[in-house]
Amino acid sequence: METMTGCPILAKAPPGTAMPLEPLDFERMFDVLPVGAMTCNLDTFEIDYANPCSIALLQSIRETLGFDPETIVGTSIDVFHRDPLHQRTLLSDSGRLPHKARICFGQEWLDLHIHPLPDSTGRVSRALLVWAIATAEVAKEQEEYRLLRMIDDMPVAVMTVDPVTFNISYLNETSKRTLGQIKDLLPIKPSELLGASIDVFHRHPHHQRQLLADPANLPHHARIKLGSEVLDLQVSAVTGTDGVYLGPMLTWSVITKQVAAEARIQQLAHFDTLTALANRNTFREHLKACLARPDPKLGLLFIDLDGFKFVNDSHGHLVGDTLLIRVADRLRACCGRPGTMVARLGGDEFAILIAEAGIEEARDVARTLLLEIVAPYQIEAERRLEIGASIGVAAAPEHGTDSEILLSRADMALYAAKAAGKKTFRVFTPELETRVHERVRLEGKLRAALAQADSLFLFYQPITDIATGRVTAREGLIRWHHRTRGWISPAEFIPVAEESGLIDELGIWVLNRACRDAASWDDDARVAVNVSAKQLGKGTLASNILAALVGAGLEPSRLEIEITESALLADELDCLADLRRVRDLGVRVALDDFGTGFSSLAHLRSFPFDKIKIDGSFVQDAVQRPECAAIVGVVADLGRRLGVTTVAEGVETQAHLDLVTAEGCTEVQGYLLGRPVPSARDAATIAALNRQAALHRPTSQVRAIAS
Ligand code: C2E
Ligand code: MG
Ligand code: MG
């Protein structure tokens, strides 16, 4: 081993030794050296010597070795390196030696020094490897260093903060780079950030410290405005293997304009722009997701504002929008419970999903909401508005676990709430569904009836002037005889016609029939035709009326149309415009069922009606209840002063007649003076139908129609 004299380690032998000594036995020296020493033949790259310490060290890590340490001599040096070629290149290049390295070997870190060993000719034919297993601390440091390098290279900005001092303890390369790009917005230079307090990034450092100090607050997501830029910040807790909180880690990025635009598009796609509530799609998706969970349980509420269109039309869209925003705020405030989603489905329709809620809880929420929604809204200093709402409730799993079915059932319940007089809620019941199916069937039958028109009839009921006893008008009342169902009441099929849109066709049929019948009457009594709310506001009514008048050759003054109060609630301005056009034709307009709507007197001011028809329920109650009689009196009085005819409907008895006469009504209509009867043309057909029906049905039903 004389070739080893050039070894720098050995050259460290204490200089100037005084005593004459035996020549050095290098091999023995290596045998006792407490570090690993091996030599490698650079022609074969085989280990040709390993000292006992090397063998002992290799024994201690034999688990990761994969070969017997005793056979190390003769083994290729390649076994020590993940990249043998790289290692061979290094060893062959004496210019790069000596070389110091720390290599990872399985679980262990090895500290390695490689020295060139020239032979007697000066050629480096061998390498000396002096090595030791790194201490546990060194290994840990090394591991940390490796992780930090990885984090440094990550494309997100990462910062760690000391949870006690709140100083920045680490910044990765991306952090430094990104901060460099926005350095003008920073209160301190990016190069000084390491070790600086995190407080510089926050307007309320105290809040921030509270947040970061406690891992229970984490993870936390925030957007921080820094000058013109916005930082999207995610804070997570770093904990040791023992669960001890080591401090917060902040990953963050600057939201560029493009990201902000993407966020905006997301917002538009998923949220309603006016109220910022979830939109219909988002709601549907959320519902589906909730129902897809095992054993789904949830409450579903459909909310529809009562008379919102009226607000919109009378106060303008701006006020309408403000009202919607305020309603949305109240809904949100009532639904703070986690797992609740409030959405605007469109227009004045809202929906709420309450996760893990049963029917009872959903019912409670509906009750609370009704109270909250009706409380007055101060829209502007001078403007105080009120609005009601109808709510339909359905729940999973009771009413189904399919999203479409559940939605349609909540809708049915909402429909029932509206039909029940609004400002109320209804929970879905199977009967509602049966009713809906019946309506659909009825719609089909009605469509067929309209196509044939041989089962539809117009009956006429006289309206009589009290003073003269003369019939001033006859009201046309539609009748429908179905082959198997018999007589179907207009109270049942008119709403179906209104909803399905068939009402327009039906309305035209009635107008034409009424005008033609009236043209053939012996007297000059007017004919009164009921016009549905749904026929108004479309701009078509006046032209349909004109066509009917011309077709029948009837004077416009012989026609009267009756509008119910609810018609005026729906679409105020457009409706009034239609009514004015009708009146301009010379056709009279009557307000039907007066007293049943909730702002009756306001309607009288909104349009110059020719006639007020006081609802029959009022007249019938008046005999028993003095306050009803008083109201009949007030309306009659009002009519007199406005120069308007007042008709008392539903006069069935002499007592009714006496009462309404005493109260000052000018005309009467009711069974006492005449029931609705078919026209002369239809009389024979109707008589035949009733005879036929009498054979199959209880007499009471027959009498109701044939009268
Ligand atoms: P309406 O316009 O208020 O018609 C008066 C209703 O009261 C009629 O019911 C009539 O038969 C009934 N009636 C008349 N006198 C008395 C009485 O003394 N006592 C009682 N209890 N009732 C009396 P009908 O024919 O069943 O019509 C119900 C409603 O259906 C009508 O109320 C009207 O709103 C609607 N309707 C009827 N025909 C048509 C039509 O051709 N088109 C439209 N759009 N609606 C119609
Ligand atoms: Mg009527
Ligand atoms: Mg009426």
Side-chain angles (χ1 to χ4, degrees):
M1 294 234 75
E2 61 285 277
T3 48
M4 285 190 181
T5 40
C7 175
I9 292 179
L10 303 183
K12 275 184 190 158
T17 325
M19 286 258 302
L21 293 173
E22 274 182 55
L24 276 171
D25 181 345
F26 290 113
E27 202 153 334
R28 244 193 48 226
M29 215 174 87
F30 274 97
D31 282 351
V32 296
L33 204 66
V35 291
M38 297 190 285
T39 57
C40 172
N41 181 329
L42 294 182
D43 296 324
T44 60
F45 292 102
E46 278 174 12
I47 308 281
D48 56 6
Y49 168 76
N51 73 344
C53 184
S54 279
I55 311 274
L57 286 174
L58 289 173
Q59 288 288 5
S60 73
I61 57 168
R62 64 177 303 154
E63 300 283 272
T64 45
L65 276 183
F67 63 88
D68 179 3
E70 298 293 343
T71 64
I72 181 72
V73 174
T75 303
S76 167
I77 186 80
D78 295 350
V79 298
F80 289 104
H81 211 281
R82 235 177 311 166
D83 186 354
L85 194 65
H86 177 85
Q87 181 175 250
R88 286 187 180 206
T89 316
L90 175 84
L91 290 169
S92 311
D93 184 357
S94 59
R96 291 170 66 185
L97 300 181
H99 178 81
K100 221 168 113 180
R102 181 166 281 165
I103 58 173
C104 182
F105 194 74
Q107 305 282 311
E108 307 289 345
W109 287 91
L110 308 182
D111 277 326
L112 175 70
H113 293 245
I114 308 169
H115 301 271
L117 288 180
D119 57 19
S120 50
T121 67
R123 187 176 83 90
V124 179
S125 55
R126 278 192 167 126
L128 170 69
L129 291 83
V130 181
W131 64 283
I133 296 173
T135 61
E137 274 138 82
V138 170
K140 189 167 158 238
E141 252 172 48
Q142 198 61 36
E143 192 58 38
E144 279 172 9
Y145 175 76
R146 199 164 66 132
L147 283 176
L148 282 183
R149 282 296 312 151
M150 264 169 57
I151 297 172
D152 260 346
D153 290 344
M154 287 197 325
V156 280
V158 179
M159 245 191 247
T160 60
V161 173
D162 185 298
V164 180
T165 62
F166 299 99
N167 289 339
I168 298 171
S169 51
Y170 169 75
L171 284 145
N172 76 344
E173 283 305 317
T174 311
S175 263
K176 290 178 198 158
R177 220 178 23 253
T178 317
L179 289 169
Q181 287 162 8
I182 56 166
K183 60 176 183 293
D184 297 342
L185 303 172
L186 297 179
I188 79 177
K189 283 194 209 136
S191 59
E192 291 168 1
L193 272 169
L194 190 62
S197 169
I198 190 75
D199 293 353
V200 298
F201 284 108
H202 213 280
R203 246 180 312 158
H204 306 290
H206 178 65
H207 288 176
Q208 181 172 252
R209 285 182 174 222
Q210 271 184 331
L211 177 88
L212 299 180
D214 187 354
N217 299 327
L218 306 179
H220 173 81
H221 179 239
R223 293 253 160 109
I224 298 177
K225 206 161 155 43
L226 206 66
S228 56
E229 302 283 0
V230 174
L231 305 189
D232 187 80
L233 176 69
Q234 188 81 41
V235 188
S236 34
V238 183
T239 49
T241 42
D242 49 2
V244 171
Y245 180 45
L246 299 176
M249 179 172 83
L250 292 68
T251 50
W252 55 276
S253 57
V254 178
I255 307 181
T256 62
K257 287 200 175 67
Q258 187 196 338
V259 173
E262 272 167 22
R264 178 81 188 123
I265 291 167
Q266 280 287 318
Q267 173 82 18
L268 284 176
H270 297 287
F271 296 91
D272 169 48
T273 37
L274 181 67
T275 60
L277 291 176
N279 66 13
R280 183 183 284 272
N281 280 344
T282 308
F283 189 78
R284 228 171 240 270
E285 290 307 314
H286 182 60
L287 174 65
K288 272 190 203 150
C290 288
L291 290 171
R293 290 180 197 148
D295 302 322
K297 181 180 176 192
L298 59 89
L300 189 61
L301 278 72
F302 266 23
I303 304 160
D304 192 292
L305 301 183
D306 302 331
F308 175 72
K309 207 160 171 16
F310 180 70
V311 171
N312 232 357
D313 287 347
S314 48
H315 297 272
H317 288 272
L318 227 53
V319 171
D321 283 356
T322 312
L323 182 63
L324 288 174
I325 293 170
R326 303 282 287 279
V327 170
D329 288 343
R330 287 193 193 173
L331 295 182
R332 243 189 301 245
C334 290
C335 301
R337 168 183 161 150
T340 304
M341 179 182 268
V342 183
R344 179 173 172 226
L345 302 183
D348 58 347
E349 282 175 32
F350 296 87
I352 297 176
L353 186 157
I354 316 164
E356 297 306 320
I359 294 180
E360 269 318 306
E361 285 158 277
R363 208 193 283 267
D364 286 345
V365 173
R367 237 179 247 125
T368 314
L369 285 179
L370 282 176
L371 290 176
E372 284 295 323
I373 293 172
V374 297
Y377 297 81
Q378 194 74 44
I379 300 287
E380 291 153 13
E382 294 295 298
R383 222 191 288 259
R384 223 168 117 93
L385 289 180
E386 283 181 33
I387 195 135
S390 305
I391 302 181
V393 177
E398 294 86 343
H399 303 142
T401 52
D402 175 274
S403 62
E404 291 310 310
I405 290 178
L406 214 53
L407 286 169
S408 85
R409 291 183 167 176
D411 200 34
M412 285 174 204
L414 171 63
Y415 190 87
K418 280 197 223 166
K422 308 190 172 176
K423 284 195 181 170
T424 186
F425 74 93
R426 285 289 181 271
V427 178
F428 171 80
T429 57
E431 296 84 75
L432 289 180
E433 196 153 42
T434 318
R435 228 176 292 165
V436 168
H437 291 155
E438 270 168 17
R439 285 178 91 91
V440 171
R441 274 197 293 272
L442 195 63
E443 183 191 323
K445 288 186 181 128
L446 185 58
R447 208 177 284 278
L450 265 169
Q452 305 257 319
D454 58 354
S455 55
L456 293 172
F457 306 94
L458 210 51
F459 279 33
Y460 295 94
Q461 183 178 34
I463 299 172
T464 314
D465 183 284
I466 298 178
T468 63
R470 208 169 56 89
V471 172
T472 58
R474 291 183 188 87
E475 179 176 4
L477 295 162
I478 195 162
R479 296 292 178 261
W480 176 22
H481 186 270
H482 186 261
R483 200 167 23 84
T484 53
R485 276 202 54 185
W487 293 106
I488 303 173
S489 161
E492 188 181 344
F493 70 82
I494 293 286
V496 173
E498 287 178 338
E499 254 165 61
S500 59
L502 289 174
I503 192 69
D504 289 313
E505 207 182 322
L506 190 72
I508 290 171
W509 183 87
V510 172
L511 272 170
N512 285 321
R513 177 53 58 92
C515 290
R516 248 179 286 140
D517 282 346
S520 69
W521 290 342
D522 299 334
D523 57 11
D524 59 356
R526 282 184 296 271
V527 64
V529 171
N530 290 288
V531 170
S532 151
K534 292 282 157 66
Q535 291 170 264
L536 284 173
K538 297 174 177 167
T540 51
L541 183 63
S543 53
N544 287 341
I545 287 178
L546 187 63
L549 288 169
V550 171
L554 191 74
E555 284 294 312
S557 60
R558 300 258 329 263
L559 179 64
E560 193 164 87
I561 61 164
E562 296 189 4
I563 309 292
T564 58
E565 282 203 270
S566 60
L568 296 174
L569 275 184
D571 205 339
E572 184 101 326
L573 292 180
D574 293 341
C575 291
L576 291 178
D578 266 356
L579 289 184
R580 255 177 240 116
R581 274 182 222 125
V582 170
R583 217 162 170 270
D584 288 347
L585 293 176
V587 172
R588 288 163 51 108
V589 180
L591 185 58
D592 202 357
D593 300 347
F594 185 80
T596 55
F598 54 84
S599 48
S600 306
L601 290 174
H603 294 139
L604 282 181
R605 248 179 284 127
S606 66
F607 187 79
F609 290 98
D610 299 287
K611 184 185 260 186
I612 304 168
K613 298 185 77 178
I614 305 168
D615 192 63
S617 60
F618 259 92
V619 175
Q620 281 149 20
D621 280 356
V623 181
Q624 312 288 335
R625 294 166 53 190
E627 70 273 20
C628 284
I631 288 171
V632 174
V634 167
V635 177
D637 194 45
L638 189 72
R640 207 168 23 250
R641 275 189 281 136
L642 292 171
V644 172
T645 315
T646 45
V647 183
E649 295 184 283
V651 172
E652 293 182 351
T653 63
Q654 189 60 45
H656 291 155
L657 182 59
D658 293 345
L659 188 134
V660 300
T661 308
E663 293 295 344
C665 292
T666 46
E667 300 189 350
V668 283
Q669 176 181 4
Y671 297 164
L672 182 69
L673 296 120
R675 290 184 174 256
V677 290
S679 67
R681 175 165 28 89
D682 292 334
T685 317
I686 302 297
L689 283 174
N690 283 340
R691 265 198 307 280
Q692 219 174 26
L695 299 174
H696 306 290
R697 282 166 207 284
T699 44
S700 60
Q701 275 187 25
V702 177
R703 211 181 303 130
I705 293 301
S707 52

